Amino acid sequence: MNCNNNLIKEGNSMKKLGVIFGGMSTENKVSCVSGASVIKNLNKEKYEIYPIFIDENGKWFKIQMTKEGQIKIEEKAPIENVFEYLKQMDVIFPVLHGLYGEDGTIQGLFEISQIPYVGCGVLASSVGMDKLICKKVFSQIGLPQVDYTYTNKWEFNINKDQEL
């Protein structure tokens, strides 16, 4: 659970839980499978679940669920005001993979909107997503690592004929 536990609204015994999946990354479909798995395994007696799908173009949708707790992505309704919709939730459970999900982007949106969420915060998400930065942070605190090399697209294109 994120450090923002103090933002979770108290009161109603059934917490409104928004589960966000899909997203604009190339891992959209994998995220949908993960989101369906999370929703299937949540305690339906403790949480009122609101499935939220983001398509590849960044459009947000409310998704219908069956009585058995299965999601129906084909049965969706656009969310007109995403911020207002999210603020109705007690907590958000992002199940987004890749860019805009695991990289601190969505976490930053939640932070500046003061919307409680589960998972790592902005810094941990962004550092963990950037493998080179993550290795540099690990080396600064003395964690042992295997040897590695790195490049970027620009350097690779200039030096692609050279051996490593």
Side-chain angles (χ1 to χ4, degrees):
M1 179 109 26
N2 182 21
C3 302
N4 291 346
N5 294 349
N6 61 333
L7 293 176
I8 296 176
K9 301 168 192 158
E10 297 299 324
N12 184 6
S13 60
M14 288 278 284
K15 299 293 182 201
K16 291 182 179 181
L17 176 65
V19 179
I20 302 177
F21 55 92
M24 297 188 305
S25 88
T26 56
E27 299 181 53
N28 177 289
K29 288 182 181 17
V30 174
S31 173
C32 290
V33 172
S34 298
S37 178
V38 166
I39 289 168
K40 177 183 174 191
N41 290 289
L42 285 168
N43 184 341
K44 311 297 187 290
E45 293 176 17
K46 187 174 181 180
Y47 301 106
E48 191 176 334
I49 302 165
Y50 293 83
I52 302 166
F53 172 67
I54 303 174
D55 73 10
E56 296 90 344
N57 299 312
K59 293 191 185 336
W60 296 56
F61 298 91
K62 300 174 196 175
I63 300 298
Q64 295 299 313
M65 276 183 18
T66 65
K67 288 182 181 179
E68 297 79 33
Q70 302 291 325
I71 57 172
K72 296 176 160 183
I73 292 181
E74 57 281 348
E75 292 184 33
K76 59 189 178 192
I79 298 174
E80 299 302 324
N81 187 326
V82 172
F83 295 108
E84 289 303 315
Y85 188 72
L86 294 177
K87 285 201 172 256
Q88 295 174 32
M89 305 297 147
D90 293 306
V91 65
I92 300 294
F93 191 139
V95 191
L96 298 165
H97 299 301
L99 293 176
Y100 311 110
E102 292 175 295
D103 63 352
T105 306
I106 194 99
Q107 293 82 358
L109 173 72
F110 299 146
E111 291 282 340
I112 63 173
S113 303
Q114 297 184 322
I115 298 169
Y117 63 100
V118 301
C120 296
V122 177
L123 181 61
S125 297
S126 60
V127 168
M129 187 75 172
D130 188 315
K131 303 314 179 229
L132 179 58
I133 297 297
C134 194
K135 285 189 162 291
K136 289 183 177 190
V137 168
F138 287 171
S139 70
Q140 286 294 310
I141 61 172
L143 285 176
Q145 306 176 58
V146 297
D147 291 337
Y148 64 94
T149 187
Y150 64 93
T151 188
N152 59 38
K153 188 176 181 178
W154 182 76
E155 287 176 356
F156 178 79
N157 284 332
I158 291 173
N159 302 313
K160 62 184 167 189
D161 297 327
Q162 294 179 5
E163 285 188 39
L164 295 176

